[in-house]
Amino acid sequence: MIRSTNYDPISDPAYKAPRKVVSNKKKRSVLLTAVLTSVIMLLCMQLLVPGSLAFEHSRKTNKKNVIFFVTDGMGPTSLSLARSYRQFKYNLPYNDVLTLDKHLIGSSRTRSSDSLVTDSAAGATAFACALKTYNGAIGIYPDTQPCGTILESAKLNGYMTGLVVTTRITDATPASFSAHVNMRSQEDQIALQQLGHYVLGNMVDLMIGGGRTHFYSGEVESLNITNGARKDGRNLITESIENGWQYAGNKKEFDSLDGGKNVSLPLLCLLADDNIPFDVDRDENEFPSIKEQAMVAINALHEGTKDSEEGFFLMIEGSRIDHAGHNNDPAAQVREVLAFDEAFKAIIDYADSSDVDTIILSTSDHETGGLVAARQNEKDMIEYLWYPEILDNAKHSGEYLAQKISTFYKSNSLNSDKDDVNKSKSNFIKHEILEKELNIKDYTKEDIAELLSYGNDFMSIHYKLNDMVSMRAHVGWSTHGHSAVDVNIYAYSNNRQLWHDILDHLQGNHENIEIGTYMAKIMNLDLEKVTDLVKDVEHDPPKDFVSDLSAYVDQYHHKVI
């Protein structure tokens, strides 16, 4: 048959395309390409979710670790301030972010049962008991009946438990997880309950922080401690050691714990009579960082649960972010936030290396100070500025420097010539405090006169110093107390399924009690059952307690009555 010159073989039903001959080498190349493509796609999928898929099939089923961070007093602006400060200090690009920034999933509303502005006690009880209560309440309902906490329920369900803070271990946040009292100021009673002197017995396996003063009375020569504040005359430290607790009371003893490898639980580690110093003031030879504290706790609890069917629950608080906010001290606050961020990163790294499903949550109980990264210093002049370098100039917190001034005043009080004393004080403030410690050289005569006029009024002096720094940095504050601003929620998990579960429950904007509810759910805890067990806990203050502290407010404006 003669075919047309326009013949199209493809359209001819009788046409059969010639078979392509593919070499074995070509086949292997195609197969290798397909395999590599699949591997790359898998790795890309892995990068889209937190956690390492390499551990997905090796983890111990049903075993979980839950690590809950509380950034006391840290609002959204605290992150902005610390981020810009860090970029300036280390010459980083403007798109460099904190570890926390990478794990932001939502925000939390913070009101208590009796106010739109919460305090730390009610804020922490919202997490610990998953309920709203009044400001000042520690682990109790608004009617003052004790409520079972996440920590107590976790311990009763086989988890090991721990508390790590940079303030007193008896302060509001750690107390709300481990005690039940009407008022946050009942710290002597809180210490007793934390050590197991109540109906449930010992519920906390590990405590690291300050607050030693509420664990002993007067002076204990054998422990080289002298400022005990307990009113009942008891020495809970010695009692605890006799009851099998391992004790560390200073940096040397903390270092002997070898990063948590040399810990025999239960552990009581009290590193200061009161609060551990601000990170900007902290002598690393005397006090560990929050990261070091957290890793001792993590390693000790990891080792303690390695052969257990259950994991551990650990609460870690960046406590003194709040105090820097109360003091309106931006130089101290940015250092506190960065120290916390380092601890948070270390725990993320731990989770990635662990073969146990780990849930990490972080949020704040409230914001403190009404902080803004801007300030209008002149009535008729608006400037779009803020200067992180001013914060970097500050070598110490205002609190530290006010104490330094007070100490100098006392040492010069014996000089009988009033003019000489005032001149000496003036020169000390000018040259040793403003110029040397804060690098402020444009101070005025009015600044010096104001500081001298305060005499030994510690609060007024350090507020003035902090305001001089804030003004020059163009950082603003609206209060020395708390605010009602929503705070951020951060999260992470080394298990993809748990990560999506966290997002299902906590992504977006939530009430603070929902965070406690979620922790109870993920650990399969029954808080009502524990509430029934603690209903008879002695939570009222001693009869003479209120009269001793009537209308008392501490130096950080916490109402303790």
Side-chain angles (χ1 to χ4, degrees), residues 21-79:
V21 179
V22 181
S23 67
N24 289 335
K25 183 177 180 180
K26 183 70 172 179
K27 289 179 180 178
R28 287 194 297 271
S29 176
V30 171
L31 179 61
L32 180 60
T33 300
V35 171
L36 287 174
T37 300
S38 298
V39 171
I40 291 170
M41 289 178 66
L42 181 62
L43 289 173
C44 289
M45 289 175 63
Q46 181 176 344
L47 292 174
L48 291 176
V49 296
S52 174
L53 295 180
F55 290 113
E56 283 291 324
H57 301 294
S58 63
R59 290 200 180 95
K60 300 172 184 177
T61 57
N62 298 322
K63 185 173 181 177
K64 296 184 185 72
N65 296 327
V66 176
I67 303 163
F68 181 51
F69 286 94
V70 178
T71 43
D72 197 323
M74 187 180 81
T77 308
S78 301
L79 269 291

Side-chain angles (χ1 to χ4, degrees), residues 399-410:
E399 185 174 285
Y400 177 97
L401 297 178
Q403 186 59 55
K404 190 172 182 178
I405 290 174
S406 178
T407 300
F408 178 82
Y409 282 6
K410 290 177 183 177

Side-chain angles (χ1 to χ4, degrees), residues 118-126 133-139 172-173 176 183-184 365-366 482:
T118 189
D119 87 320
S120 294
T125 299
T133 192
Y134 61 88
N135 288 350
I138 297 292
T173 301
S176 294
M183 300 178 292
R184 57 183 295 169
D365 46 2
H366 54 75
H482 300 172

Side-chain angles (χ1 to χ4, degrees), residues 460-506:
S460 295
I461 291 172
H462 90 261
Y463 284 174
K464 171 63 178 178
L465 294 175
N466 292 338
D467 186 59
M468 292 178 73
V469 172
S470 294
M471 181 183 71
R472 286 161 177 78
H474 281 254
V475 171
W477 305 88
S478 66
T479 177
H480 283 290
H482 300 172
S483 74
V485 70
D486 291 353
V487 295
N488 292 341
I489 302 174
Y490 306 90
Y492 184 80
S493 179
N494 57 8
N495 177 292
R496 181 169 56 185
Q497 184 177 352
L498 285 173
W499 168 244
H500 288 298
D501 190 68
I502 292 170
L503 294 180
D504 286 344
H505 289 84
L506 295 178

Side-chain angles (χ1 to χ4, degrees), residues 183-204:
M183 300 178 292
R184 57 183 295 169
S185 53
Q186 296 170 238
E187 294 188 54
D188 285 4
Q189 287 172 265
I190 290 167
L192 277 168
Q193 293 183 31
Q194 288 177 325
L195 291 172
H197 298 280
Y198 76 128
V199 64
L200 295 183
N202 181 25
M203 292 287 103
V204 191

Side-chain angles (χ1 to χ4, degrees), residues 224-406:
N224 194 30
I225 48 180
T226 59
N227 296 306
R230 289 195 66 84
K231 296 180 179 179
D232 59 7
R234 293 178 67 173
N235 182 342
L236 301 184
I237 298 173
T238 301
E239 290 180 28
S240 297
I241 295 171
E242 292 171 351
N243 290 330
W245 287 72
Q246 182 179 5
Y247 175 71
N250 53 49
K251 182 60 161 55
K252 182 179 179 180
E253 292 172 357
F254 176 87
D255 289 342
S256 72
L257 301 176
D258 193 17
K261 299 175 184 177
N262 188 31
V263 170
S264 174
L265 298 174
L267 170 68
L268 177 63
C269 185
L270 301 174
L271 299 165
D273 272 328
D274 195 42
N275 305 309
I276 293 173
F278 285 121
D279 208 64
V280 67
D281 303 325
R282 180 178 61 86
D283 183 342
E284 63 181 17
N285 295 314
E286 292 187 26
F287 301 98
S289 67
I290 185 173
K291 175 184 174 181
E292 291 173 305
Q293 292 175 245
M295 291 314 298
V296 164
I298 283 287
N299 291 328
L301 292 172
H302 175 88
E303 183 67 19
T305 57
K306 67 179 182 179
D307 297 322
S308 171
E309 293 183 2
E310 303 294 347
F312 59 80
F313 170 76
L314 174 64
M315 193 284 293
I316 302 171
E317 183 188 33
S319 318
R320 302 214 67 196
I321 299 171
D322 174 65
H323 292 176
H326 281 296
N327 293 344
N328 289 181
D329 189 337
Q333 183 164 108
V334 292
R335 269 80 162 207
E336 289 301 300
V337 174
L338 293 183
F340 179 86
D341 195 62
E342 288 184 9
F344 186 80
K345 182 182 184 302
I347 302 304
I348 295 287
D349 292 342
Y350 162 78
D352 280 344
S353 69
S354 177
D355 65 351
V356 178
D357 288 340
T358 302
I359 298 96
I360 299 172
L361 299 174
S362 181
T363 193
S364 303
D365 46 2
H366 54 75
E367 190 273 347
T368 302
L371 173 64
V372 289
R375 176 165 173 159
Q376 185 174 344
N377 288 327
E378 301 294 335
K379 182 178 180 181
D380 299 320
M381 184 180 292
I382 298 174
E383 299 177 286
Y384 295 157
L385 300 168
W386 100 261
Y387 298 109
E389 56 266 38
I390 301 298
L391 308 190
D392 196 43
N393 288 339
K395 297 179 181 178
H396 286 289
S397 70
E399 185 174 285
Y400 177 97
L401 297 178
Q403 186 59 55
K404 190 172 182 178
I405 290 174
S406 178

